[in-house]
Amino acid sequence: MIYDNLLTLTAKAPITSGLRQGDTFTPYAALVERIGRLAAGFMERGIENGAPVALLIPNSPDLFVTAHALFAVGAVAMPLSETATRSERATLARRTGPAAVVSTPALATAAELLIADVAPGLPLFLTDALPEGSATARLPELPGATPALYLFSSGSTGSPKVVPHTHAELLADSGRASAAWDLQPDDIVLDMLPGNFAMGFLLGATQAVARGATTLYWSDPMPLALSRGKLLDTMVGEHVTFMGAVPAMYEIIAGQGGGSDLGLRLAFSGGAALKRPVFEAVRRRLGITLRQDYGSTEAGMFSHNDCPDPDSSWDSVGRPAGDARVRIAAFDTGFGPSVGEMEIRSSSLMRGYLDDAVADARAFDEGWFRTGDLASLDEEGRIFLRGRSKLLIEVSGYKIDPVEVEETLMSSPAVAEAAVAGLPDPRIGNRLIAFVVKEAEISADALIRFARERLSVQKVPAEITFVDALPRSPAGKVLRARLVEPQAG
């Protein structure tokens, strides 16, 4: 189904539209032809309808053609993080039972270790020697309910879960996103996010191509803080008009000195809450007003802030796009009755986690997906996120939002970053522990005194632990479940 749609889309796209990486440009017409041959080759090697295939491929044209070839035969693409540990990759792969692994030559050793850990004897295909069959081979006709993609929830508050998406869901997501962003064939879309991250995979593999826009994949072996100047030069040279990234990336990019004549018409931020200082820094540095979007691994792209006055609504993630719908369910918070847990529905929402009825029962409310986000709606139906219901920590009967405590701690000039977690305490329910990365010298006692002057007593951390860095996912999310692992008994 996705392959047939891709044929239709690319037949309309100009020859100037396609995929770029480095000095290489490949038009969509050539990509589709190769995808057809690869699909036939995979079928000849026994990759069948419903077979999960683990992908150790950075976000790139290689990931695009491999994933679409698997879509074409009804197999399930399962992108894994190339930066994950051996144990992390094996744990995720065991949940799905992959039928094969596809890897770049540079990651071949990691792929071989994955096979040894999960199922010795699995076939390994390298991207520089993928099997190709006849371009005229007959590919299966696939219904919309055919599974196409396995992603993994971020694991920021617990163990990652397998998130399946069907052909119909991916097509619905690409249509909604490309329409909300008004992508056009002359747009150059920058994709700098990891391919195992939902926003990175969908932007590069399905959303940009939905309207014939060109995708520019960008990566660099150096950390973004050291390569941001090169990135900005690339954006200018390649005439990038559209980009999406997480707030942490925008913050780093905006820290680059000098000036750049960027031609961006739209830049959106997603994956985490945008802070006002980052919003302002991006406007000063990049000359563009960031727009917030809301999406998730489970739902894909959900909402986009297209308010005519972006300053007054800078902290809104916009209104639901396309057929997406939102409702606010009552939830006991300290923000008043207008704030509750955001529940959503859309045609791209997953129908359930893979083989996890317990997680499904917690995640769905009569077909509505419980996002775990606390939110309110204004009179125009715009969504304003207020916190995370799944993060609320009960202390002496009070429900404490750790984000509020973190932001208070980070208002100290001595604090670069902070994350707050709760440790079970039989007397008060939980004891607040703050994990702090220092910006300047400060003692734990001094920081607790700082918090006491600004927070009610139940919100003040009982303990401060100084760390060199907070554990984060490749997309920049703090992995809160890891914060307390050393203290777990």
Side-chain angles (χ1 to χ4, degrees), residues 435-455:
F435 297 82
V436 172
V437 179
K438 292 182 183 180
E439 180 70 30
E441 190 55 40
I442 191 171
S443 68
D445 287 342
L447 193 53
I448 288 175
R449 287 196 299 272
F450 178 87
R452 281 178 182 153
E453 294 171 358
R454 293 160 175 81
L455 294 168

Side-chain angles (χ1 to χ4, degrees), residues 162-206:
V162 184
V163 180
H165 280 293
T166 66
H167 282 244
E169 289 163 6
L170 293 185
L171 290 178
D173 172 78
S174 63
R176 179 185 306 108
S178 60
W181 301 328
D182 193 25
L183 290 179
Q184 299 297 325
D186 59 354
D187 271 317
I188 308 297
V189 176
L190 175 71
D191 190 354
M192 57 185 294
L193 292 155
N196 64 296
F197 181 46
M199 190 158 69
F201 181 89
L202 296 173
L203 185 61
T206 57

Side-chain angles (χ1 to χ4, degrees), residues 389-433:
S389 65
K390 293 179 181 179
L391 294 181
L392 294 182
I393 303 168
E394 186 164 326
V395 178
S396 299
Y398 294 91
K399 287 182 172 61
I400 308 302
D401 183 356
V403 175
E404 178 187 4
V405 182
E406 291 161 3
E407 290 180 344
T408 300
L409 293 173
M410 286 189 289
S411 69
S412 165
V415 175
E417 292 185 294
V420 172
L423 283 180
D425 186 308
R427 297 180 301 105
I428 59 174
N430 284 280
R431 182 163 48 95
L432 291 185
I433 309 295

